[in-house]
Amino acid sequence: MTTAQPESQGSMLDTTIEHQEGSGFVRSLLAPFRWMRAYPTLWAGLFLLAFMVLFGIVGSQFVDPELARAGTVEIDLSPGQTVEYRVKGEDRSAFSVLGTDSQGRDVWAVTMLGTPLTIYVGFLAALIGMTIGTVLGFIGGFYGGIVDNFFKSFADMLITVPVLMILVVVAVTLKSSIDVTQQALIISAFVWMWPLRTIRAQVLSMRERAYISVAQISGANTLEVIFLEMLPNLLPFLAASLATAVATAMLTTIGMDALGLGPQNQPTLGNTIYWALFYSAPFRGIWWWWTPPVLALALVFGSLYLITAGLDPLANPRLRRQG
Amino acid sequence: MTAEYLLRRIGVFFLVIWGAATFNFILPRIADVNPIEERMSQLASRGAVTSGNTEAMIKHFEKRFGLDKPLLEQYVRYIWNFARFDFGFSIAFFPTQVRSVISQALPWTLVLVTMSSLIYMFLGMALGALVAWPGASRAFKLLFPPIMALSAIPYYLVGIALIHFFAFQLEWFPLGGGYTVGSSPGWDFDFYLDAAKHAILPALSIILVSIGFSAIGMRGMMVTTQGEDYMLLAEAKGAKSWRLFAWYGVRNAMLPQITSFALTLGHVVSGVILVEVVFGYPGIGTMLLQSIRNFDYTLLYGIVYLVILSIALATLILDLIYPRLDPRITYAPRS
């Protein structure tokens, strides 16, 4: 909390919501959204992320995909020139906003097509990983036992292992070229550990609370307790874990790409960085090649960071009092 | 610390490295790749060997690498070799052992990781503590948001920007590498100075990004310690402000930082590997990129195993010295 204003608004809203609590699933689902008004950091992050997603999706509609293919246009052109190129015997021309790279791609086209691709890999991997982690976390927190012990120990062990190293071995050994979806699936196998720990810890503490006991005594079965009593309260945690998981997954995918192990012939931002490094762009002063992907990634990572930071007071109510 | 905990913790360490070695053994056999055959066809395509004698050569190499033995025997041998850090010959630099290829690169990475970790931990803890300290200058509070914004960006992307501005445009630092090409690595002062100059930008890209991680954890802990009774008591006793800050606040807030450092070490090392790739720094990361490009499986597996082992070892050591640093922690069984 940097200013006092949203802080006081937050506590005001909290009290109003507390009065309405217990009046149904929909309301408790919506509660975090009403709180958002009080959390500018969270909003800033969500807006920035939405902007980057839309920027890529809308922008890519106005871009000739041929321009993102190697060898289409003249190489190493600085930004702001018109390029002429031929596709299947047809002469085309385009205004090159960001110039071209050393392999004859248009940097603007690559950035437009690559941004949604990279975000897609991050989100898909994170969603799958989150689902696995949440399910295992609930099972572990609820039932305990051998299964819980196994997965928790396994997660604790895997957390200290550098995931990128494992993925490098997998990618090099399998060697068959992967597409973005396959890459996301492989990465998802390594992003479930933190969600599992977070959710498991929450379920463990929540299980002992009075309202859960009340629900159980009132005859709610386990599924009802999980979906109606626990999940709504876990939403801020889930959202914060998801944002962190997306950041982790994206970090991993561009790490793989930057080592040349990404999906081939796809203009992902990581691949663009790989080729820029391969052709020593930063050392040759071809700044227009590496700046757009680096900037796009910085904005996406920044938005995810703002979302996580903005959700922190929601996920850890104790922080709200500290300021 | 109980013997049971110690045994368990060491058991986990061996489990991790055994898992890493087994993974390296199983994966190529599931994927059905034959590194020797591949290397041969790679050589054949360059005209280095003629196709007629490749069959015989493959047979010869398979025998030499022990690939004609039964699977279980291969496995036991493999694990035994890994336990002795014997990773066999590098496929790309054939007569050279993987071990000696790695031992050339390892010191560079170790120095880079250790130095930058120490610096960012120190700066991050100082910044985090000062931001949370009511008596500190407001300048630290202004410094905090930009540092936090930087912490969201991967190291090597910051590294690329640093190269452009400080090495390419301002020419303050050399363009990548670990030392000036042509100078021979030796034990003299000039070489150290040259190596240090080359290390500044890679280290800076790690430090700039990581300060934020360290600072935010420290800030949280400092806020918590300020509410503690011992702070109030010390203040009531008339302890000086700096003494309150350093010996009552920082001393107690810094210890959990070690745990978070241990947990993020794998992440840091992955990042450092990519920083090395960006700068062409002659450490493990650049070696890894080379092994990927050359399909040098033995070197690749050796590197990956060694990186996992080093991190597991570092985490183990941090876990074991932690109770010594913080008397409040005992790994005694719950009574």
Side-chain angles (χ1 to χ4, degrees):
Chain A
M1 288 301 112
T2 43
T3 54
Q5 193 58 27
E7 181 80 350
S8 57
Q9 274 177 1
S11 48
M12 225 168 66
L13 280 169
D14 288 353
T15 43
T16 47
I17 281 158
E18 266 160 38
H19 286 302
Q20 296 162 348
E21 215 158 40
S23 39
F25 179 53
V26 178
R27 177 151 284 158
S28 53
L29 257 183
L30 285 174
F33 294 98
R34 260 181 276 128
W35 279 354
M36 273 182 197
R37 260 178 295 166
Y39 298 102
T41 321
L42 178 58
W43 272 120
L46 286 171
F47 269 123
L48 189 57
L49 184 63
F51 172 75
M52 289 308 289
V53 172
L54 281 177
F55 175 75
I57 291 174
V58 174
S60 58
Q61 303 306 311
F62 296 98
V63 156
D64 183 356
E66 291 296 328
L67 282 170
R69 240 182 262 278
T72 308
V73 288
E74 203 181 319
I75 64 164
D76 290 345
L77 285 179
S78 52
Q81 301 182 38
T82 308
V83 287
E84 312 276 341
Y85 59 101
R86 273 177 89 83
V87 178
K88 294 178 194 117
E90 177 196 345
D91 282 314
R92 295 186 196 173
S93 80
F95 182 69
S96 180
V97 190
L98 292 174
T100 64
D101 67 16
S102 299
Q103 287 182 301
R105 297 188 201 87
D106 180 66
V107 178
W108 174 257
V110 168
T111 313
M112 280 296 142
L113 296 170
T115 308
L117 270 183
T118 300
I119 297 178
Y120 164 78
V121 178
F123 262 92
L124 186 60
L127 278 174
I128 299 170
M130 271 295 293
T131 313
I132 300 171
T134 309
V135 170
L136 288 177
F138 265 106
I139 294 174
F142 242 97
Y143 300 106
I146 301 171
V147 180
D148 172 46
N149 225 326
F150 173 77
F151 280 110
K152 203 199 158 270
S153 312
F154 191 50
D156 283 349
M157 237 154 46
L158 208 54
I159 276 176
T160 57
V161 169
V163 165
L164 189 65
M165 293 293 101
I166 302 177
L167 287 170
V168 164
V169 171
V170 174
V172 173
T173 309
L174 297 181
K175 226 176 72 172
S176 52
S177 71
I178 48 170
D179 62 27
V180 280
T181 307
Q182 284 164 332
Q183 191 186 24
L185 289 178
I186 298 173
I187 291 170
S188 71
F190 299 97
V191 289
W192 54 272
M193 298 90 71
W194 281 109
L196 175 123
R197 279 168 68 114
T198 320
I199 301 303
R200 185 178 171 278
Q202 285 306 311
V203 171
L204 272 177
S205 98
M206 222 178 245
R207 204 176 56 173
E208 308 299 326
R209 307 253 174 97
Y211 67 90
I212 299 293
S213 311
V214 171
Q216 278 169 336
I217 295 164
S218 319
N221 63 34
T222 311
L223 282 181
E224 278 169 349
V225 169
I226 289 176
F227 283 101
L228 299 179
E229 305 294 334
M230 286 185 162
L231 261 185
N233 286 302
L234 280 174
L235 277 181
F237 281 98
L238 290 171
S241 297
L242 181 66
T244 316
V246 174
T248 314
M250 273 183 50
L251 204 62
T252 315
T253 152
I254 54 169
M256 280 176 81
D257 293 358
L259 287 169
L261 298 169
Q264 262 141 36
N265 306 320
Q266 292 276 6
T268 61
L269 296 178
N271 276 351
T272 312
I273 288 166
Y274 173 75
W275 288 117
L277 289 175
F278 193 90
Y279 283 86
S280 308
F283 303 102
R284 290 159 58 213
I286 307 183
W287 54 269
W288 58 88
W289 192 354
W290 59 264
T291 319
V294 167
L295 216 56
L297 285 171
L299 287 174
V300 175
F301 279 116
S303 74
L304 291 168
Y305 173 74
L306 288 175
I307 293 173
T308 322
L311 280 167
D312 227 23
L314 282 171
N316 308 312
R318 244 173 289 158
L319 280 178
R320 251 179 283 165
R321 265 176 268 134
Q322 285 167 0
Chain B
M1 199 185 312
T2 60
E4 193 201 328
Y5 174 80
L6 198 71
L7 278 177
R8 219 182 115 93
R9 191 59 193 77
I10 293 172
V12 167
F13 167 73
F14 281 112
L15 204 61
V16 168
I17 58 172
W18 169 75
T22 306
F23 181 71
N24 279 352
F25 176 82
I26 293 176
L27 201 68
R29 283 160 179 87
I30 295 175
D32 203 24
V33 290
N34 188 334
I36 295 161
E37 219 165 287
E38 259 163 42
R39 183 66 189 163
M40 283 300 161
S41 60
Q42 219 180 345
L43 288 177
S45 69
R46 287 190 209 151
V49 282
T50 49
S51 55
N53 55 14
T54 44
E55 267 315 284
M57 278 177 83
I58 289 169
K59 278 267 151 18
H60 175 75
F61 277 115
E62 278 188 346
K63 203 165 178 158
R64 192 144 178 199
F65 286 97
L67 294 175
D68 53 347
K69 300 258 165 48
L71 210 58
L72 190 70
E73 200 186 322
Q74 279 185 43
Y75 177 67
V76 172
R77 231 162 109 124
Y78 194 89
I79 297 291
W80 173 235
N81 286 342
F82 264 49
R84 293 178 301 141
F85 301 110
D86 179 3
F87 309 112
F89 295 101
S90 157
I91 294 174
F93 312 102
F94 173 59
T96 324
Q97 291 263 350
V98 165
R99 190 166 38 184
S100 61
V101 177
I102 293 178
S103 61
Q104 276 168 20
L106 200 62
W108 293 94
T109 305
L110 276 181
V111 171
L112 184 63
V113 171
T114 318
M115 291 304 278
S116 30
S117 296
L118 287 177
I119 296 173
Y120 90 67
M121 288 287 281
F122 178 76
L123 291 178
M125 287 202 280
L127 178 68
L130 287 168
V131 165
W133 192 251
S137 156
R138 277 196 73 81
F140 296 111
K141 290 204 167 64
L142 292 175
L143 203 64
F144 198 61
I147 290 282
M148 287 316 296
L150 263 179
S151 78
I153 306 165
Y155 307 150
Y156 50 105
L157 299 188
V158 175
I160 296 176
L162 288 179
I163 291 176
H164 180 77
F165 292 113
F166 295 108
F168 179 77
Q169 282 202 321
L170 295 172
E171 292 180 14
W172 288 356
F173 296 101
L175 289 163
Y179 48 90
T180 308
V181 182
S183 75
S184 59
W187 294 93
D188 56 287
F189 180 72
D190 282 348
F191 180 74
Y192 283 133
L193 196 71
D194 186 45
K197 236 189 238 168
H198 282 79
I200 289 177
L201 285 186
L204 201 59
S205 48
I206 300 163
I207 293 165
L208 279 178
V209 171
S210 308
I211 287 179
F213 279 111
S214 170
I216 193 139
M218 190 65 183
R219 188 186 67 162
M221 284 313 296
M222 275 301 270
V223 169
T224 316
T225 43
Q226 277 170 53
E228 298 283 352
D229 291 339
Y230 57 74
M231 285 294 259
L232 198 67
L233 177 69
E235 210 178 337
K237 283 198 306 189
K240 287 199 174 66
S241 180
W242 67 266
R243 204 182 149 77
L244 275 179
F245 175 74
W247 289 105
Y248 290 79
V250 174
R251 173 71 177 89
N252 285 298
M254 67 192 282
L255 288 160
Q257 290 284 86
I258 293 170
T259 314
S260 64
F261 176 70
L263 278 175
T264 51
L265 196 59
H267 180 82
V268 172
V269 171
S270 301
V272 170
I273 279 171
L274 292 163
V275 166
E276 289 186 359
V277 167
V278 167
F279 283 89
Y281 200 73
I284 289 292
T286 305
M287 191 86 5
L288 183 80
L289 183 71
Q290 272 180 25
S291 72
I292 293 171
R293 288 201 178 138
N294 293 328
F295 295 108
D296 190 342
Y297 293 95
T298 46
L299 180 57
L300 176 79
Y301 295 152
I303 291 173
V304 169
Y305 174 78
L306 218 64
V307 169
I308 293 177
L309 175 98
S310 330
I311 291 171
L313 191 65
T315 321
L316 175 70
I317 292 171
L318 286 174
D319 266 7
L320 294 186
I321 61 169
Y322 195 59
R324 301 230 158 255
L325 299 173
D326 189 347
R328 288 168 298 183
I329 306 284
T330 53
Y331 290 125
R334 264 173 284 174
S335 51

